Amino acid sequence: MSKDPILKLENVHVKYDTDDGAVHAVRGVTYDVYEDETLAIVGESGCGKSQSSYAAMGLIQPPGRVSEGKIWFRNKDGEKAINLLDFHKDSKEMRSIRGGPLAMIFQEPMTALSPVHRIGQHLDEVLKLHTDLDKKQRFDRACELLTQVGIPDAAKRYKQYSFEFSGGMRQRIMIAIALACNPRLLIADEPTTGLDVTIQNQILELMASLQEKHHMGVVLITHDLAVVAENADRVAVMYLGRIVETTDVHTLFEAPKHPYTVALLKSVVGSPLTGEGRLQAIRGTVPGPLDVVPGCPFHPRCDKYMPGVCDQELPTLEAVNEKTCAACFLYQNRKKEEASS
Amino acid sequence: MMLRYIFQRLMIAIPTLLAISFVVFFLIQLPPGSFLDAKIAAMELEGGVDMAEIETLKNTYHFDRPMIVQYYYWITGFVTGDMGKSFETDVEVTRTLAELVPVTAAISLFTIFFTWSLAIPFGITAAVKRNTPLDYLLTFVGLTAMATPAFIIALIFQVVMQSIWPQFDPTGLISREYANAPWSLAKFADLLKHLWVPVFILGVGGTAGMIRILRANVIDELKKQYVLCARARGMHPVKVILKYPVRVAINPLVSGIGSILPSIISGSMIISIVLGLPTLGPRVLQALMSQDTYLAASCVFIQCVLAVVGILISDLLLAVVDPRIKFGGK
Ligand SMILES: Nc1ncnc2c1ncn2[C@@H]1O[C@H](COP(=O)(O)OP(=O)(O)OP(=O)(O)O)[C@@H](O)[C@H]1O
Ligand code: SF4
Ligand SMILES: [Mg+2]
């Protein structure tokens, strides 16, 4: 593993200016991803997992914008990282990174391909945008990619339309498109949601084998703790637009620190390590996007809530030990003493 | 596959059209009395009834024979290209058509061109810039234009033109000096000079309607996942919009071309009357009222043929532009 991260988000904020006021979808997200590594991002629906990765891709659409933060991307090992936010999201520079060295696959493979274009045209498009290959070379490369993601008879399949493929096949095609230009980093936003379990496993295995081959960094966004246990190296837990805990995958299940993480793990029916791990509701409700919670955003639902401390200030993400960082006053001694005194 | 499908459809179309032709002929004859009765009555009013002329008319047009026989004479003539003469003017139906159809079709085609060339860019703009002042402006203008009947637009137009440009004559299509001249380049140029008025008046409502449809279609498509995916491939956002959502949203317009085929030769009746345009619509109306059977039946039937052909064209185009649709539903 190299020492420099490929992608590093630093205190990234995403805001939507809506008629009802500003929706603060992402409220300071910080994480980094290294070569050959899979970082899983977990959290309840609406906590900003997708929005923070869209920010990295330059895909936030008005009325939304990245209002704060830095997004460092290192195209080649040893090279200096560039802050993607220095470029306009649709500038030539950003477009050459997006889909090339920084690729993304999405939830909902059923609608990810244009219904009126041949699947080969999608592959051809991305190759045309990011390489100098001529028509014939692009066709060969497209067929090679299709074969690589497990679609037999590639030359024939190249000419077919998306409705002629199943959901699992379509997600394979999306992976082929994302991998077409040998990305350094792949963001996979719930790549297996909506697919049945066997297909899910096939897709995740395929991603793992391709990662090994190309030494990619992978950001794996998911709801599913079983998927995390199987595939991730490190995990970032998100709550209401913030990262509340980062740790490696073993520590996450063995010694979770943040009360939200603990609740999240408890809410899983069965053991996450044996599969079948789907999230159940946690006590209390998630505050609306426009509500402002003073102090720790989790305090209305927290079992370890310390009155006078947790509702006063916002806890920052700090190292708890050499493995874990958590944003919780329980692990910040100065604050804890204040509470007991 | 496609050829076989076209062949099948044409095979079905022939009996359909035969049935339609019969119904058309029958319906035109349906009102009590006939052209001949009216003619005799008119002659009586004028003084004397010219029995010889009545006899000739009777013999040429088989007025004394049962309707089914008259129909037989008309339809056999029709398929061989002989549509008979107008009872009223004694002019060949084909000549009347040759005179009126080109002008009517020119107006219709230019109107379609006008509608599309405005509606497509504005519709896309309204969708992309939805809920911005620009969109609201387009919506306001569009709804106003849609809600105003074309003949009112025509009248307003005339009044407005009167006050700002009194010499301009918005009615008619052909200047007096060319009125009876044969078709020539100069006459065509003269036609073009007048054409924009009816094209504008006829096109406004349709343009506004099409902007609404296109806006809704494009907005629907913009929300789809494949648009985001195309952006994520690094394509320029403007290109993405034109290549994917617009391409999908425009399908219904393209395949809708077939269904406007019959209206191309009929033109708009009311506007033609208001602006005094020499189009087929008013002529057919007149023929229907005077039971000028051959002229009326031929024109109405030609439109029916165009309608049937138009539907076929629409179905074929739909299959061409949208790969999800297969010929013959298989
Ligand atoms: N177009 C938008 N306008 C306003 N707010 C938005 C918009 N898109 C997203 N948001 C806000 O961003 C928040 C985070 O959304 P995001 O899609 O990142 O959640 P997520 O964690 O990916 O959830 P899920 O697991 O359901 O995919 C949402 O709660 C929503 O309030
Ligand atoms: S800071 Fe307080 S309220 Fe927030 S998670 Fe930690 S203990 Fe709970
Ligand atoms: Mg999401």
Side-chain angles (χ1 to χ4, degrees):
Chain A
M1 195 190 278
S2 83
K3 28 268 60 83
D4 297 326
I6 303 171
L7 180 73
K8 184 176 168 75
L9 269 64
E10 248 178 59
N11 191 32
V12 170
H13 289 248
V14 176
K15 270 189 184 151
Y16 280 86
D17 298 313
T18 67
D19 294 339
D20 310 324
V23 176
H24 207 153
V26 177
R27 310 176 178 211
V29 159
T30 302
Y31 64 71
D32 47 15
V33 201
Y34 294 82
E35 202 175 272
D36 276 319
E37 179 198 51
T38 299
L39 172 75
I41 300 185
V42 292
E44 282 163 305
S45 191
C47 69
K49 304 184 293 295
S50 301
Q51 291 296 315
S52 50
S53 42
Y54 288 8
M57 293 286 291
L59 288 175
I60 302 281
Q61 296 301 311
R65 68 202 155 86
V66 182
S67 58
E68 216 185 306
K70 299 234 160 60
I71 295 167
W72 297 105
F73 181 69
R74 200 181 310 270
N75 207 341
K76 289 206 183 63
D77 214 15
E79 224 175 57
K80 219 170 137 311
I82 48 169
N83 179 7
L84 298 183
L85 295 179
D86 289 343
F87 304 102
H88 181 266
K89 70 179 168 62
D90 295 321
S91 63
K92 210 162 155 262
E93 291 80 5
M94 262 321 274
R95 281 185 284 120
S96 73
I97 291 172
R98 182 159 70 223
L102 181 56
M104 182 159 179
I105 53 178
F106 299 85
Q107 196 173 341
E108 287 182 63
M110 295 313 279
T111 54
L113 292 153
S114 157
V116 297
H117 291 84
R118 297 168 199 281
I119 61 133
Q121 288 174 295
H122 296 80
L123 278 157
D124 188 67
E125 176 186 286
V126 74
L127 290 168
K128 209 168 166 181
L129 286 167
H130 296 283
T131 68
D132 305 322
L133 303 179
D134 65 30
K135 212 163 176 249
K136 173 78 177 58
Q137 291 169 319
R138 291 200 301 270
F139 176 78
D140 292 341
R141 171 85 177 124
C143 291
E144 182 191 319
L145 284 160
L146 288 175
T147 314
Q148 203 177 60
V149 296
I151 293 176
D153 213 355
K156 182 178 146 237
R157 296 299 237 165
Y158 181 97
K159 295 200 176 62
Q160 292 184 326
Y161 293 93
S162 67
F163 63 85
E164 295 170 79
F165 294 84
S166 67
M169 282 295 190
R170 290 184 207 188
Q171 196 58 293
R172 284 170 190 265
I173 295 165
M174 294 317 290
I175 294 176
I177 294 170
L179 295 187
C181 308
N182 298 320
R184 292 264 290 151
L185 189 92
L186 176 68
I187 301 177
D189 187 357
E190 310 195 27
T192 57
T193 312
L195 302 177
D196 68 57
V197 183
T198 348
I199 310 289
Q200 266 190 33
N201 291 336
Q202 287 174 9
I203 297 285
L204 290 166
E205 269 163 36
L206 171 69
M207 281 177 47
S209 74
L210 292 168
Q211 178 181 22
E212 201 171 332
K213 203 158 147 198
H214 299 290
H215 306 292
M216 288 182 296
V218 172
V219 175
L220 178 65
I221 297 174
T222 180
H223 278 117
D224 192 335
L225 288 173
V227 167
V228 174
E230 290 267 323
N231 298 278
D233 299 307
R234 279 192 306 132
V235 185
V237 181
M238 271 187 89
Y239 184 72
L240 281 184
R242 291 190 181 87
I243 305 266
V244 294
E245 178 163 0
T246 57
T247 183
D248 67 85
V249 70
H250 302 290
T251 318
L252 179 87
F253 291 108
E254 273 152 29
K257 289 287 183 281
H258 196 284
Y260 176 65
T261 316
V262 175
L264 202 61
L265 290 170
K266 270 200 205 135
S267 71
V268 175
V269 184
S271 162
L273 294 163
T274 56
E276 298 300 310
R278 279 269 159 198
L279 295 192
Q280 300 296 300
I282 297 176
R283 178 176 70 84
T285 49
V286 185
L290 292 167
D291 301 336
V292 180
V293 182
C296 170
F298 189 57
H299 87 250
R301 302 168 75 188
C302 182
D303 294 333
K304 301 263 170 63
Y305 168 54
M306 299 174 286
V309 176
C310 299
D311 52 358
Q312 297 299 315
E313 245 178 277
L314 184 70
T316 50
L317 192 63
E318 282 172 27
V320 174
N321 51 41
E322 63 275 23
K323 284 182 175 161
T324 304
C325 294
C328 172
F329 291 129
L330 283 178
Y331 308 101
Q332 297 173 10
N333 291 331
R334 181 175 52 85
K335 283 287 168 193
K336 210 174 158 187
E337 277 151 24
E338 253 174 54
S340 49
S341 62
Chain B
M1 184 69 185
M2 181 156 153
L3 282 177
R4 218 185 79 202
Y5 177 70
I6 296 176
F7 181 74
Q8 275 176 358
R9 286 287 297 262
L10 289 177
M11 287 290 96
I12 301 169
I14 289 171
T16 314
L17 283 172
L18 266 180
I20 292 174
S21 71
F22 183 77
V23 172
V24 164
F25 196 83
F26 178 75
L27 283 178
I28 287 169
Q29 302 268 36
L30 198 60
S34 71
F35 181 77
L36 205 60
D37 299 335
K39 182 99 181 168
I40 293 171
M43 281 177 162
E44 268 168 3
L45 273 180
E46 275 167 24
V49 180
D50 186 345
M51 279 323 283
E53 198 191 327
I54 298 292
E55 271 310 302
T56 344
L57 272 174
K58 229 185 212 165
N59 287 337
T60 0
Y61 297 118
H62 320 284
F63 277 129
D64 48 351
R65 309 287 298 274
M67 204 195 73
I68 187 81
V69 179
Q70 294 183 29
Y71 167 74
Y72 172 77
Y73 280 114
W74 170 69
I75 193 71
T76 45
F78 187 94
V79 294
T80 55
D82 172 17
M83 299 179 202
K85 287 180 180 175
S86 159
F87 300 159
E88 217 165 1
T89 56
D90 211 33
V91 177
E92 296 270 350
V93 170
T94 42
R95 243 194 75 196
T96 310
L97 287 176
E99 216 171 90
L100 298 179
V101 166
V103 180
T104 316
I107 295 177
S108 304
L109 292 174
F110 275 104
T111 307
I112 293 169
F113 178 75
F114 170 84
T115 308
W116 280 48
S117 52
L118 284 183
I120 291 175
F122 281 134
I124 297 169
T125 313
V128 174
K129 301 260 175 230
R130 62 186 172 285
N131 305 330
T132 63
L134 182 65
D135 179 32
Y136 297 145
L137 180 75
L138 282 172
T139 304
F140 176 75
V141 174
L143 289 180
T144 315
M146 254 168 84
T148 317
F151 72 91
I152 302 264
I153 297 181
L155 294 175
I156 294 173
F157 183 83
Q158 285 180 347
V159 173
V160 171
M161 282 316 261
Q162 268 301 302
S163 59
I164 58 172
W165 189 6
Q167 308 92 297
F168 184 78
D169 176 16
T171 58
L173 267 189
I174 308 224
S175 303
R176 229 156 262 123
E177 61 260 41
Y178 290 109
N180 291 311
W183 280 102
S184 66
L185 224 60
K187 185 172 176 177
F188 186 68
D190 181 66
L191 173 73
L192 283 186
K193 244 187 271 168
H194 289 82
L195 205 57
W196 69 271
V197 177
V199 163
F200 171 77
I201 289 167
L202 286 170
V204 166
T207 308
M210 196 175 278
I211 289 178
R212 301 308 301 165
I213 295 173
L214 204 60
R215 177 185 181 274
N217 286 358
V218 172
I219 288 178
D220 271 355
E221 294 303 320
L222 280 175
K223 288 182 199 143
K224 301 251 169 90
Q225 186 81 9
Y226 65 80
V227 178
L228 183 67
C229 292
R231 281 207 197 98
R233 289 196 281 278
M235 203 182 203
H236 194 281
V238 174
K239 276 195 197 152
V240 168
I241 289 169
L242 294 178
K243 182 167 177 185
Y244 296 103
V246 168
R247 167 74 172 66
V248 178
I250 227 155
N251 280 353
L253 301 192
V254 174
S255 55
I257 293 177
S259 59
I260 41 183
L261 206 58
S263 65
I264 288 180
I265 68 149
S266 71
S268 157
M269 196 89 75
I270 297 172
I271 297 306
S272 295
I273 294 170
V274 173
L275 293 176
L277 304 175
T279 65
L280 200 58
R283 188 71 192 82
V284 174
L285 181 67
Q286 191 195 338
L288 281 169
M289 291 197 296
S290 59
Q291 292 204 28
D292 195 342
T293 314
Y294 277 40
L295 180 58
S298 300
C299 291
V300 173
F301 183 53
I302 287 173
Q303 289 208 34
C304 294
V305 174
L306 287 180
V308 170
V309 173
I311 293 170
L312 175 59
I313 292 177
S314 275
D315 288 352
L316 292 177
L317 280 175
L318 194 62
V320 170
V321 295
D322 192 336
R324 286 169 292 188
I325 288 157
K326 287 267 182 289
F327 294 114
K330 264 170 253 163

